[in-house]
Amino acid sequence: MQQYQGWEKFCNEPLEKKLPLFKKDGQIFDVLYAQQFAKTELEELFYLADRIRNISKTRSGMRFLSSVLNDKRAMLFFAQPSTRTFLSFQNACHILGMQTSEIRDSTTSSEVKGESSEDMIRMFSSYVDLIVIRHFTEGFAEKAAWVLNSHAGRAVPIINGGSGKDQHPTQALLDMYTLERAFKNIGGICGKKIAMVGDLKRGRTVRSLCQLLSLYDGVEFFFVAPESFRMRDDILDMLKAKGAKYTITDKFKDVIPNVDAIYSTRLQDEHDVEQESGGINYDLFSFKEEHLALLKKDAAILHPLPRRNEIEIAVDKDPRALYWKQARNGMWIRMALILKIFRREIEVYNFSGV
Ligand code: NCD
């Protein structure tokens, strides 16, 4: 298969050199990694998401929202399984008046006829104004954005909806939005203690979330994982370089009373190469109803979902269990992000209601 020239060289450049290609006029365009966001940009997205959610409460507000991007279309290319991310992007687009098309299975695309993934992405860009990609290959979304920005006449923005074991930047945005709301009246995210629990080695959500949390002063991390699924060094090195404190442990119960948030994750066994997940007692990393009594009264329990046994169903009714709200927050923050990408947020700020 023919290759597009220059990807290898570009892909190995340091992030600071790559990022300008993914911006337009110094503003957000492609959304590929969590490291793209500054704290002020997160705050702006939270504010915009709050505004959107208020507007959506009335029928006239919904009618207004459906006009803001009704001249745009999106392509949802999800080559890996997805329920929440797919549905929340799809509904975010629909509320804003965008039409969507989707490919959820690569075997229904021309890849099976030998079309390169780069040509396929260029093809998508002919029909739509935005492409959201979930892919099992790390860096696929980045490569797609590189192809469009450096080769295609028609560069449309790309959003990474989850890339292999590496990144899930929009999940991190909704996680931060949920934490921001949870801690609003107790001093905000700065200085909070956050436990990340489970398969931290292969969980892309925790990796992206660490990047965003590291923008907030004094956040302290507790990485609670089985020995073989500990957080990888690249993230630990990043935290060290920023002076953030972290603890690595496999004693979940000891950590529970000390933290302000628990971010639970499932075993990512779809990435097993040699049945690495076998023989691990994941139950030791499960949050049970009996643990509620140990947890601080203002703490927040998050999970990107889907869950298996990481959080007992009996925990759901506790007001500190935020994971269902967290999923819905994904829709609001993705709407905010899409509005920013298309520079239409001003219309939302100017809406005075009727
Ligand atoms: C996560 C993912 O796909 O990485 N799910 C999601 O997007 N909400 C977490 C997971 O699958 O465990």
Side-chain angles (χ1 to χ4, degrees):
M1 200 179 284
Q2 295 188 74
Q3 297 294 324
Y4 281 73
Q5 296 304 311
W7 166 244
E8 289 304 324
K9 183 168 178 294
F10 177 81
C11 138
N12 291 316
E13 297 276 15
L15 208 60
E16 318 80 75
K17 277 190 96 172
K18 295 200 268 190
L19 287 180
L21 186 73
F22 303 128
K23 287 191 163 190
K24 284 281 171 300
D25 308 323
Q27 294 210 54
I28 194 153
F29 186 70
D30 299 300
V31 177
L32 306 168
Y33 343 89
Q35 297 94 303
Q36 279 176 265
F37 293 95
K39 192 176 167 203
T40 49
E41 289 171 312
L42 297 185
E43 286 165 348
E44 220 183 307
L45 286 171
F46 302 156
Y47 185 74
L48 183 56
D50 277 347
R51 180 97 180 99
I52 293 167
R53 119 195 255 151
N54 275 330
I55 293 175
S56 75
K57 289 192 168 97
T58 63
R59 188 166 177 198
S60 59
M62 281 300 270
R63 198 177 305 126
F64 159 73
L65 288 172
S66 72
S67 70
V68 182
L69 286 174
N70 63 3
D71 55 331
K72 303 286 182 197
R73 287 184 307 279
M75 167 86 207
L76 307 178
F77 174 46
F78 277 62
Q80 261 191 320
S82 175
T83 306
R84 272 147 293 274
T85 307
F86 178 83
L87 283 176
S88 82
F89 267 116
Q90 190 186 45
N91 284 287
C93 289
H94 291 175
I95 295 172
L96 292 169
M98 296 174 79
Q99 295 187 42
T100 53
S101 36
E102 60 188 76
I103 290 185
R104 301 198 65 179
D105 173 2
S106 306
T107 60
T108 64
S109 74
S110 285
E111 258 185 315
V112 286
K113 296 185 188 170
E115 182 172 54
S116 71
S117 47
E118 293 88 336
D119 277 2
M120 184 180 66
I121 295 294
R122 284 186 72 165
M123 209 57 247
F124 292 166
S125 76
S126 307
Y127 305 122
V128 297
D129 307 288
L130 167 73
I131 304 173
V132 182
I133 300 179
R134 168 170 287 197
H135 209 272
F136 34 82
T137 311
E138 284 168 32
F140 183 90
E142 185 190 348
K143 189 174 188 183
W146 168 80
V147 168
L148 292 189
N149 287 315
S150 51
H151 294 79
R154 192 180 146 75
V156 305
I158 303 266
I159 301 180
N160 178 0
S163 50
K165 302 188 283 299
D166 187 35
Q167 283 258 355
H168 198 345
T170 63
Q171 177 71 42
L173 291 177
L174 75 94
D175 296 338
M176 292 298 286
Y177 182 44
T178 305
L179 290 172
E180 209 262 343
R181 289 173 69 84
F183 298 149
K184 197 168 228 133
N185 300 322
I186 52 167
I189 295 173
C190 289
K192 292 291 186 291
K193 296 187 162 108
I194 317 280
M196 297 192 180
V197 189
D199 185 347
L200 306 182
K201 182 177 178 187
R202 304 177 297 180
R204 55 193 173 194
T205 66
V206 280
R207 293 172 51 75
S208 291
L209 182 55
C210 283
Q211 297 284 358
L212 296 190
L213 280 169
S214 75
L215 300 172
Y216 287 70
D217 288 340
V219 170
E220 191 176 338
F221 298 79
F222 292 79
F223 295 121
V224 188
E227 168 97 46
S228 46
F229 294 129
R230 285 188 171 169
M231 183 56 87
R232 284 185 256 161
D233 284 343
D234 60 336
I235 296 291
L236 300 180
D237 291 344
M238 177 276 295
L239 294 177
K240 240 181 259 168
K242 290 187 174 177
K245 273 170 77 177
Y246 65 82
T247 303
I248 295 176
T249 177
D250 56 4
K251 309 263 178 304
F252 186 29
K253 212 171 156 189
D254 295 352
V255 166
I256 295 172
N258 291 324
V259 294
D260 301 291
I262 294 195
Y263 190 95
S264 172
T265 65
R266 75 177 168 88
L267 196 59
Q268 306 282 314
D269 46 10
E270 69 271 35
H271 297 298
D272 274 10
V273 182
E274 293 169 330
Q275 297 181 323
E276 300 90 307
S277 306
I280 288 189
N281 182 4
Y282 214 65
D283 192 52
L284 296 172
F285 303 91
S286 160
F287 190 91
K288 310 238 167 35
E289 190 179 15
E290 72 204 46
H291 294 146
L292 286 168
L294 303 173
L295 194 63
K296 287 186 188 173
K297 74 171 185 3
D298 291 326
I301 310 170
L302 277 70
H303 192 307
L305 304 176
R307 78 170 150 190
R308 293 175 186 167
N309 301 315
E310 304 83 46
I311 302 180
E312 272 185 0
I313 292 170
V315 173
D316 293 10
K317 59 181 184 302
D318 190 280
R320 292 166 291 183
L322 299 183
Y323 27 95
W324 300 109
K325 286 187 185 158
Q326 184 188 350
R328 187 165 166 82
N329 285 341
M331 190 173 74
W332 306 121
I333 204 80
R334 286 175 173 125
M335 283 168 74
L337 182 67
I338 294 169
L339 280 172
K340 289 284 296 176
I341 290 172
F342 287 115
R343 320 259 191 277
R344 295 273 169 90
E345 69 275 22
I346 192 73
E347 295 183 24
V348 170
Y349 290 135
N350 286 343
F351 179 73
S352 52
V354 263

